[in-house]
Amino acid sequence: MFNSLSGVITGKFPQKLFLDVNGIEWDIIVPDTTLDDLPKLGEKARVFTWLQHTDSAMNLFGFASSKDRDLFFDLNKVDGVGPKSAVKIMSSIQRDQLISSLENGDLAALEKIPGLGKKTAQKMLLTLKGKLTLDDELPGAKIVVNRGGEYADVVAALANMGYDKRDVETCISSLVEELNKELAPAGEVPFKNKTRDAKEEILFRKAIVALAQ
């Protein structure tokens, strides 16, 4: 499966992009926000893609960044939100605003998205609050432990126990910073020199205590 397409933009329309790749013009479904982020007509662009293949049709979806595509995948986890619905949602609100609304539990902001009813907005919060796939740091949020990071397994274990993923990431980050500064008693191995398993065990125990406060 291909990860992205690079070519010349030959057409921009509402939620649609034409991209010429070595003489083959691709018809790609995109959020309107992606159209804004991509270069002008006639210029070269890289579009991150996902192919939907069903019994009745094949649809190619595109995004200006892999982060936008991750958000699209997250939205598809919500019951009642399919690929085209996810594109409509992303067309009506900027990525950071949507993420902020989901992470902060702002139901009122989600309900203002055109075509998104209250029930679907509630489902989005229940499914995605604290569980979004994020590789970068949001404005105003201190996130050090990210997906695929050194302590991702600890974060995942705590999130599966019902703790808010964003709270867990922040907690683990703070604990790591504190523990790395602590001086170990004579004869003991400092935290930063311990094995990975030992670090994870310590962080897991301390995080449960911290998150329960």
Side-chain angles (χ1 to χ4, degrees):
M1 181 58 64
F2 44 85
N3 177 59
S4 65
L5 292 173
S6 295
V8 177
I9 297 176
T10 54
K12 281 187 172 185
F13 311 93
Q15 296 178 22
K16 179 177 288 192
L17 176 77
F18 288 168
L19 188 72
D20 187 302
V21 181
N22 297 325
I24 299 176
E25 189 175 51
W26 295 81
D27 182 345
I28 308 172
I29 301 171
V30 299
D32 289 335
T33 48
T34 286
L35 292 174
D36 295 334
D37 292 337
L38 289 173
K40 299 178 181 178
L41 284 174
E43 296 185 1
K44 292 183 178 180
R46 181 185 183 188
V47 180
F48 291 83
T49 56
W50 176 72
L51 178 65
Q52 179 193 38
H53 189 186
T54 66
D55 293 337
S56 58
M58 293 178 66
N59 294 307
L60 185 63
F61 293 82
F63 308 90
S65 70
S66 60
K67 297 168 187 176
D68 286 344
R69 184 175 58 184
D70 285 340
L71 180 57
F72 167 79
F73 288 150
D74 283 335
L75 290 173
N76 275 272
K77 297 174 185 177
V78 180
D79 183 29
V81 176
K84 291 187 178 180
S85 296
V87 167
K88 289 181 180 179
I89 292 171
M90 294 176 68
S91 294
S92 303
I93 184 172
Q94 292 297 321
R95 175 178 177 272
D96 286 350
Q97 292 177 318
L98 177 56
I99 290 174
S100 178
S101 298
L102 289 169
E103 292 297 287
N104 295 326
D106 192 344
L107 180 61
L110 294 176
E111 289 178 347
K112 293 179 181 179
I113 298 176
L116 191 65
K118 184 173 183 178
K119 288 186 178 179
T120 302
Q122 290 174 334
K123 288 180 181 178
M124 287 172 62
L125 285 181
L126 289 172
T127 304
L128 300 177
K129 186 176 184 297
K131 300 176 183 178
L132 288 169
T133 304
L134 302 175
D135 286 324
D136 62 344
E137 187 171 319
L138 289 177
K142 181 183 179 183
I143 304 298
V144 177
V145 181
N146 292 318
R147 180 169 60 94
E150 184 178 1
Y151 304 110
D153 289 344
V154 179
V155 172
L158 291 166
N160 288 335
M161 291 174 62
Y163 292 106
D164 184 280
K165 184 180 178 182
R166 186 54 58 85
D167 291 341
V168 172
E169 290 173 331
T170 303
C171 178
I172 293 295
S173 297
S174 298
L175 286 172
V176 170
E177 186 177 354
E178 293 173 6
L179 290 168
N180 280 332
K181 293 178 180 179
E182 287 185 0
L183 296 176
E188 290 191 14
V189 179
F191 177 82
K192 60 184 178 181
N193 294 333
K194 291 182 181 293
T195 64
R196 178 174 176 175
D197 288 345
K199 288 180 179 180
E200 289 181 343
E201 182 180 350
I202 293 170
L203 288 172
F204 185 80
R205 287 190 284 103
K206 287 186 174 292
I208 287 180
V209 175
L211 291 166
Q213 295 178 351

